[in-house]
Amino acid sequence: MAEFFTPTTEQEFAENFAQLKPVMNRTEALYESSRCLFCFDAPCIKACPSGIDIPQFIRQINSGNDTGAARTIYEANYFGNACGKVCPTEVLCEGACVYNLQEVKPIEIGRLQSYATTKVIKSGEKLFGPGADNGKKVAVIGAGPAGISAACELRALGYTVDVFEAKAQPSGLTVYGVAPYKITNEETLAEMDYLQAQFGYNTHFNSPINSREELAELENKYDAIFLGIGLGKTNELGLPGEDKINCTGAVEFIAELRQHHHEVAVGRKVIVLGGGNTAMDAASESSRLGAETVILAYRRAKEEMGAYEFEYDLAKGVGVKGLFNVAPIEITGNGYVAGVKFIRTETKDGKVLEIAGSEFVEPCDMVIKATGQAKQTEFLGLISGLKLDGKGRIIANAHTGQTSNPKYFASGDAWNGGAEVVNAAAEAKLTARGIHAYLSK
Amino acid sequence: MPDLSINFAGIKSPNPFWLASAPPTNSGYQIMKAFDAGWGGAVWKTLGVPVVNVSSRYGGLNYRDKRLIGFNNIELISDRPLADNLREIEEVKKRFPNHAVIASLMVQTRQEWHDIVRQSQDAGADGFELNFGCPHGMCERGMGSAVGQEPKILQMIVEWVMEVATKPVIVKLTPNISDITEPAMAARRGGADAISLINTIQSIVGVDLDQFAPYPIVDGKGSNGGYCGPAVKPIALNMVKNCAQHPDIKLPISGIGGIENWRDAVEHILLGASSVQVCTAAMHFGFGIIREMTSGLEQYMVEKGFNTIYDMVGKALPNVLHWEDLNMKYKVTANINEDKCIGCQLCYTACEDGAHQAIRLNAGTRVPEIIEENCVGCNLCSLVCPVEQCITMERTDDGTQHLTWKERTEAGTAPTEFNDEKAGGRHHWVPEPSAALGKERHKTLPGKARLYSGETVLPAEAE
Ligand SMILES: Cc1cc2nc3c(=O)[nH]c(=O)nc-3n(C[C@H](O)[C@H](O)[C@H](O)COP(=O)(O)OP(=O)(O)OC[C@H]3O[C@@H](n4cnc5c(N)ncnc54)[C@H](O)[C@@H]3O)c2cc1C
Ligand SMILES: Cc1cc2nc3c(=O)[nH]c(=O)nc-3n(C[C@H](O)[C@H](O)[C@H](O)COP(=O)(O)O)c2cc1C
Ligand code: SF4
Ligand code: SF4
Ligand code: SF4
């Protein structure tokens, strides 16, 4: 029944994970940009968390000023290319496009956006540069969308910026988390190279900041510290058998997949636990890796899933089967995963109730837990005076990003609790201005 | 089924659709193909002393992703020997005796005109079209539009032609003139049987931004050319109307200019044309477009109960008046259909910046609201609205009164002084100029667009 054969080469992998939003050519961009109505006070702009002036850049594409279009995009969002490809545009700009109200296909804003940015990235054209050196230094922890966006904006404002990243590559979850059919590693990293060439911040890879000593050193050397650390590992479920071989966290599984492509092995029958977007991604990805059966198991009813509808449709479209109102109670098997023991549930007044005596075992040879990412509370606990909210999110001023330790600023998943690339990029730009305001006092 | 056939000044044709003298009528091969596809007639590519053309001959005007809404050429008349053309005319007429084959002609001397007319009618041409229209290349040699712009010379040449012509003579007019009825009158005085219009409009279709040269580019240089295609239809329609309404011209008109589908053809016909000619559309889409044209025309005639083309020729003419005869008591007001509105607010910004500040935005909805007392009924909003039938212009006067500018002038109620109390815009509300930079500033560039285009201060009302 498998929809996909197990890919064994890079080319087969690319076919199974074909881009959902392939880059447009000039003809398609001309056609699509011609459809835009150039609305007044356009609703698409308002729906974009980074507030890109969409009709402006579409008009620029339409009149043959692709470079100007890229500038418009990057002025609002340093992850302009990545966002065009990975944003859930269905619920953001494209979802707000006035065409929807006429039951006409909305403008493909995301693809137009990547069209323009891809072009300048390829040409390497210089659109931006660092501002005049103001003699101040900022350390950025984490080279994800938040960290890199903050670095760009701070450079533009004249700061010396050092980015410390635990991993070997920049862009955070854009290259370690987002589904491979949304963006390729090459595309992601090309944008990172482009930005670094434009702004000239310093990057230090494989350089996790883990200890109080390292933090103290940063506090001494830098005028401000930006936290763009995102979230942590997949939450533990606390179920018996969770440590069995082939029971893995979605974030960890996807990170492997993004780095090792077809070399990542997937089970023949995979059960994905969860109902959020990451669960949908992990299920789709398992299927595209050649799993024969992929079951998406969720504690509540289908309608209650946190995932966007189009993400569920995408998973369904590659053969993923839904199993709803079931809660896992044990991972079974002898060393290796052999199945998941579930109990059926029902939802009453918003509460999930287990139905006694309804236990059953669904056999499988792989379990992927997509049950949310843990917060990095341990690390954040090393920063004196830094306050977190009840959910482990950093508390910071929404306009300036300043935390309860005035030297520290935060944006992105670590602050918002887990959103999208575009939110991290938009927040970090604002926070960089917050840092500037603080250091200019 | 309505009868589409026409008898145009004695030239019979199974339908009113002719190919205009141009590249599509360059050869017998093309014209046979066209007749086979359903065209009723063809005006042969202009015959004369064969020319030599340059390479790179056409330029196009595109609108967004739409190609060739305007078309421009720097080609001349036929570059093929006359004998070849005449032999092919004969062959086409033999194979298609009931179709109209018209020889377009352009030569210089009286003798040449006599020779070419005689030879063409011997070859079997059903009529002639005298090309007094080409606006480039030929006029510099005292032909084409150089003739069309000189009524006296035009008349003289028509007279020369009439001396030998035994078949109907059509004079093709150039639009590159301020009053089209002057050459039309000259044609009539010369004895022509019909007129056709318009030929191409002198133009530069565009400039290459890298080579700093006009299109089409010939070895880095360019020249003015002749403009045609959909964009010229409005100019053609007005000229057709001027000739059709002129009390003394009274000649059958072959309408040319921007005809691409049945609607364009019907518009030409309603303004007085009784045959229509097509060039650009056939060059763009090929002869196959004739199927849509005839089927559309037929359908329209059935719906309107027209039995022949002549039931509709000039039917719109009585409704084309001078401005001073229009009823100034008539009033329409814009009306937004809320259920259809998609909230693009193009109507708002159009009226705000380009009309009369008669549309307002209200909090909590993207559907704009018409401020009726400010609406002058200009139509702009309804023209920019992207949704069919969403903004309609509704009549708001009671229909009982009628008063024209002419009547007002005669009655002395028209404004005559600079600061006249009777000025039309006198009691119309207009915001203070400085409000544009003050409290009304958000009405030009909405908050976020301003914010992200570099301004960090939110305009007054946006927050
Ligand atoms: C599976 C999955 C799929 C997703 N799909 C999409 C999608 O399709 N579209 C979309 O818009 N968003 C998607 N997201 C969300 C999106 O990736 C995140 O919202 C975004 O990457 C957050 O950016 P960030 O910079 O805050 O954090 P991250 O991207 O997590 O970056 C944080 C970086 O900090 C580094 N770091 C952490 N701690 C330290 C430390 N102590 N020292 C040094 N470095 C450190 C990390 O290695 C990482 O590189 C997805 C998320 C997941 C998990
Ligand atoms: C390339 C080209 C060549 C033309 N050559 C002639 C010509 O030889 N004789 C003539 O009378 N008109 C000529 N015309 C004008 C057309 O017959 C016609 O009047 C004009 O194109 C307007 O019609 P349209 O809008 O359907 O194209 C030419 C037009 C084009 C585009
Ligand atoms: S809402 Fe749609 S049509 Fe309007 S400006 Fe945005 S993309 Fe264009
Ligand atoms: S008709 Fe003209 S004045 Fe009236 S609302 Fe529309 S644009 Fe404004
Ligand atoms: S132009 Fe039409 S669709 Fe757009 S806001 Fe105005 S009425 Fe609505």
Side-chain angles (χ1 to χ4, degrees):
Chain A
M1 73 124 272
E3 303 271 327
F4 295 91
F5 289 107
T6 306
T8 56
T9 62
E10 190 53 46
Q11 193 193 335
E12 285 172 3
F13 179 84
E15 281 166 19
N16 284 11
F17 288 82
Q19 294 298 298
L20 290 183
K21 294 184 180 174
V23 179
M24 285 179 171
N25 59 30
R26 173 75 202 153
T27 306
E28 195 178 5
L30 177 64
Y31 279 33
E32 193 59 8
S33 60
S34 294
R35 286 207 307 130
C36 178
L37 299 170
F38 309 120
C39 300
F40 178 79
D41 197 11
C44 52
I45 307 182
K46 291 186 181 161
C48 171
S50 61
I52 297 175
D53 193 339
I54 293 162
Q56 166 78 354
F57 90 70
I58 295 183
R59 202 184 260 285
Q60 288 169 313
I61 291 174
N62 196 249
S63 64
N65 181 6
D66 294 340
T67 308
R71 186 193 297 275
T72 301
I73 294 159
Y74 278 126
E75 271 170 359
N77 180 341
Y78 292 117
F79 273 60
N81 190 54
C83 281
K85 300 210 75 179
V86 313
C87 269
T89 52
E90 291 86 341
V91 296
L92 299 175
C93 54
E94 292 175 21
C97 176
V98 296
Y99 271 115
N100 292 296
L101 289 162
Q102 240 183 325
E103 262 123 64
V104 174
K105 192 168 83 76
I107 302 296
E108 291 194 58
I109 300 168
R111 290 185 64 212
L112 283 168
Q113 186 173 313
S114 309
Y115 162 77
T117 47
T118 300
K119 239 175 135 172
V120 294
I121 290 172
K122 279 213 172 115
S123 72
E125 200 163 341
K126 186 112 181 117
L127 295 184
F128 301 97
D133 189 355
N134 66 16
K136 296 195 175 112
K137 294 168 80 179
V138 179
V140 169
I141 307 180
I148 296 294
S149 298
C152 293
E153 188 76 358
L154 287 165
R155 285 295 292 149
L157 293 166
Y159 293 86
T160 298
V161 179
D162 282 301
V163 182
F164 299 91
E165 166 58 51
K167 297 214 155 123
Q169 292 174 316
S171 86
L173 287 171
T174 322
V175 79
Y176 290 105
V178 174
Y181 41 80
K182 292 191 181 158
I183 192 165
T184 67
N185 296 13
E186 293 72 30
E187 287 169 327
T188 313
L189 297 175
E191 186 167 47
M192 295 304 102
D193 289 345
Y194 179 71
L195 293 176
Q196 192 166 12
Q198 302 269 312
F199 291 102
Y201 42 81
N202 308 310
T203 46
H204 309 274
F205 295 115
N206 304 307
S207 310
I209 304 296
N210 282 333
S211 62
R212 181 57 226 152
E213 292 69 46
E214 285 165 317
L215 286 169
E217 198 187 327
L218 296 185
E219 287 163 12
N220 281 335
K221 268 173 79 178
Y222 296 91
D223 298 287
I225 299 166
F226 176 88
L227 297 168
I229 58 169
L231 302 173
K233 294 198 174 73
T234 301
N235 283 318
E236 292 292 316
L237 286 175
L239 296 180
E242 210 175 332
D243 54 353
K244 294 208 163 34
I245 298 172
N246 256 13
C247 174
T248 173
V251 186
E252 293 72 21
F253 168 71
I254 297 168
E256 275 297 295
L257 173 71
R258 281 299 296 268
Q259 296 313 302
H260 302 296
H261 287 179
H262 55 280
E263 284 153 22
V264 172
V266 73
R268 286 169 54 145
K269 180 168 175 185
V270 180
I271 294 181
V272 178
L273 302 174
N277 290 321
T278 300
M280 303 303 134
D281 281 1
S284 285
E285 286 156 352
S286 302
S287 182
R288 288 170 198 262
L289 276 176
E292 279 171 27
T293 311
V294 180
I295 291 178
L296 187 77
Y298 181 52
R299 293 160 66 227
R300 295 167 180 257
K302 181 157 70 181
E303 302 70 44
E304 294 171 271
M305 286 197 300
Y308 299 125
E309 206 175 319
F310 64 86
E311 293 284 10
Y312 180 51
D313 288 346
L314 207 60
K316 273 196 301 192
V318 292
V320 172
K321 301 255 176 315
L323 181 61
F324 299 101
N325 289 311
V326 293
I329 46 179
E330 184 187 342
I331 312 295
T332 65
N334 188 3
Y336 278 89
V337 167
V340 178
K341 188 186 237 177
F342 288 106
I343 184 162
R344 295 200 188 277
T345 65
E346 58 187 343
T347 323
K348 270 210 183 110
D349 305 326
K351 277 201 175 150
V352 183
L353 303 176
E354 295 181 350
I355 302 171
S358 67
E359 294 89 347
F360 67 100
V361 173
E362 185 70 36
C364 68
D365 55 5
M366 183 171 191
V367 174
I368 301 177
K369 299 174 289 178
T371 42
Q373 286 173 270
K375 307 292 185 310
Q376 309 220 50
T377 44
E378 202 176 315
F379 168 70
L380 294 171
L382 300 175
I383 301 168
S384 67
L386 188 81
K387 283 197 189 128
L388 307 183
D389 71 4
K391 292 177 173 167
R393 297 178 297 201
I394 301 171
I395 295 176
N397 181 299
H399 299 291
T400 64
Q402 193 164 33
T403 69
S404 47
N405 178 332
K407 196 157 196 172
Y408 284 86
F409 293 75
S411 298
D413 280 1
W415 173 70
N416 63 34
E420 313 289 346
V421 171
V422 64
N423 303 92
E427 292 160 10
K429 192 175 161 81
L430 213 60
T431 295
R433 294 185 168 267
I435 294 174
H436 183 52
Y438 170 67
L439 294 181
S440 308
K441 264 186 208 156
Chain B
M1 263 299 156
D3 178 7
L4 296 193
S5 72
I6 56 166
N7 181 337
F8 183 85
I11 303 170
K12 291 193 181 122
S13 170
N15 64 47
F17 299 110
W18 296 352
L19 286 169
S21 173
T25 60
N26 203 37
S27 65
Y29 168 78
Q30 287 163 292
I31 292 177
M32 283 221 201
K33 265 180 98 175
F35 287 173
D36 189 41
W39 291 85
V43 186
W44 211 276
K45 173 73 186 171
T46 304
L47 308 175
V49 177
V51 299
V52 179
N53 278 308
V54 292
S55 183
S56 179
R57 304 177 186 180
Y58 307 147
L61 180 72
N62 301 340
Y63 179 73
R64 293 203 196 167
D65 60 344
K66 292 291 170 282
R67 299 202 155 254
L68 297 196
I69 65 150
F71 187 58
N72 163 281
N73 81 89
I74 55 170
E75 246 177 42
L76 308 177
I77 64 171
S78 180
D79 60 0
R80 306 177 68 215
L82 183 62
D84 291 2
N85 281 310
L86 295 176
R87 193 180 58 249
E88 291 180 8
I89 290 179
E90 208 171 327
E91 215 178 312
V92 172
K93 270 316 287 184
K94 248 188 223 129
R95 183 67 187 73
F96 291 93
N98 300 322
H99 285 62
V101 175
I102 294 133
S104 169
L105 308 174
M106 186 199 288
V107 286
Q108 260 174 318
T109 65
R110 182 167 177 224
Q111 190 56 47
E112 280 174 343
W113 280 107
H114 282 183
D115 291 347
I116 203 163
V117 167
R118 284 207 188 90
Q119 291 182 46
S120 314
Q121 57 200 20
D122 288 350
D126 298 301
F128 306 103
E129 187 180 80
L130 313 187
N131 180 351
F132 296 151
C134 187
H136 52 266
M138 306 307 291
C139 47
E140 291 86 334
R141 304 175 209 174
M143 294 185 276
S145 62
V147 175
Q149 288 163 341
E150 284 301 331
K152 283 207 184 88
I153 300 174
L154 185 151
Q155 181 180 339
M156 179 182 73
I157 295 176
V158 176
E159 283 163 0
W160 294 345
V161 169
M162 299 319 288
E163 288 162 6
V164 292
T166 60
K167 293 284 167 69
V169 173
I170 307 167
V171 171
K172 184 167 181 178
L173 303 177
T174 175
N176 300 305
I177 185 162
S178 46
D179 182 359
I180 193 76
T181 63
E182 280 186 27
M185 277 302 294
R188 184 178 174 92
R189 284 193 301 273
D193 301 289
I195 50 175
S196 59
L197 63 157
I198 58 174
N199 209 313
T200 55
I201 304 170
Q202 211 166 50
S203 63
I204 283 182
V205 79
V207 179
D208 189 290
L209 302 187
D210 301 313
Q211 296 188 58
F212 310 112
Y215 295 119
I217 298 174
V218 181
D219 195 14
K221 313 284 175 200
S223 183
N224 57 281
Y227 191 47
C228 52
V232 310
K233 183 181 76 175
I235 297 164
L237 288 177
N238 182 51
M239 293 190 164
V240 166
K241 176 270 293 179
N242 285 347
C243 291
Q245 277 189 336
H246 196 283
D248 301 323
I249 296 176
K250 290 203 195 75
L251 289 175
I253 298 170
S254 186
I256 318 170
I259 298 173
E260 175 171 305
N261 58 34
W262 69 273
R263 274 179 182 280
D264 305 321
V266 168
E267 289 176 296
H268 270 266
I269 293 170
L270 293 176
L271 288 174
S274 49
S275 95
V276 292
Q277 300 186 28
V278 176
C279 166
T280 305
M283 292 181 73
H284 192 166
F285 303 107
F287 297 136
I289 55 167
I290 188 62
R291 295 173 306 146
E292 180 277 332
M293 297 178 105
T294 39
S295 101
L297 178 63
E298 252 169 26
Q299 183 60 31
Y300 175 74
M301 289 174 72
V302 168
E303 278 164 20
K304 294 287 168 200
F306 297 145
N307 295 317
T308 77
I309 298 294
Y310 299 96
D311 291 346
M312 52 195 274
V313 172
K315 211 164 167 60
L317 289 173
N319 296 327
V320 187
L321 302 182
H322 289 298
W323 187 89
E324 57 179 15
D325 294 322
L326 297 175
N327 181 11
M328 307 193 99
K329 290 287 182 189
Y330 176 78
K331 170 118 177 77
V332 287
T333 304
N335 187 57
I336 295 175
N337 182 334
E338 284 184 28
D339 297 335
K340 290 193 171 161
C341 173
I342 58 172
C344 68
Q345 300 184 347
L346 288 175
C347 58
Y348 166 77
T349 196
C351 186
E352 178 66 24
D353 293 357
H356 302 273
Q357 301 80 43
I359 302 184
R360 77 160 70 90
L361 299 178
N362 294 317
T365 172
R366 285 209 45 106
V367 181
E369 184 194 351
I370 307 286
I371 307 166
E372 274 187 35
E373 50 292 9
N374 271 6
C375 175
V376 302
C378 71
N379 292 349
L380 180 63
C381 55
S382 72
L383 298 176
V384 301
C385 178
V387 183
E388 290 287 314
Q389 289 298 309
C390 173
I391 299 187
T392 49
M393 302 301 300
E394 309 287 355
R395 184 164 191 172
T396 48
D397 69 318
D398 62 10
T400 58
Q401 283 174 294
H402 193 279
L403 180 68
T404 67
W405 178 258
K406 201 195 267 163
E407 289 161 351
R408 277 188 74 162
T409 315
E410 282 160 6
T413 61
T416 51
E417 288 162 21
F418 286 144
N419 298 307
D420 211 306
E421 259 308 307
K422 301 184 283 284
R426 185 106 201 171
H427 303 290
H428 186 272
W429 171 79
V430 179
E432 284 301 313
S434 59
L437 309 176
K439 69 183 181 46
E440 312 288 355
R441 185 142 184 260
H442 60 285
K443 290 183 171 178
T444 313
L445 264 186
K448 236 178 172 180
R450 230 184 240 293
L451 198 60
Y452 286 97
S453 61
E455 279 186 45
T456 43
V457 192
L458 282 175
E461 230 189 56
E463 273 292 57

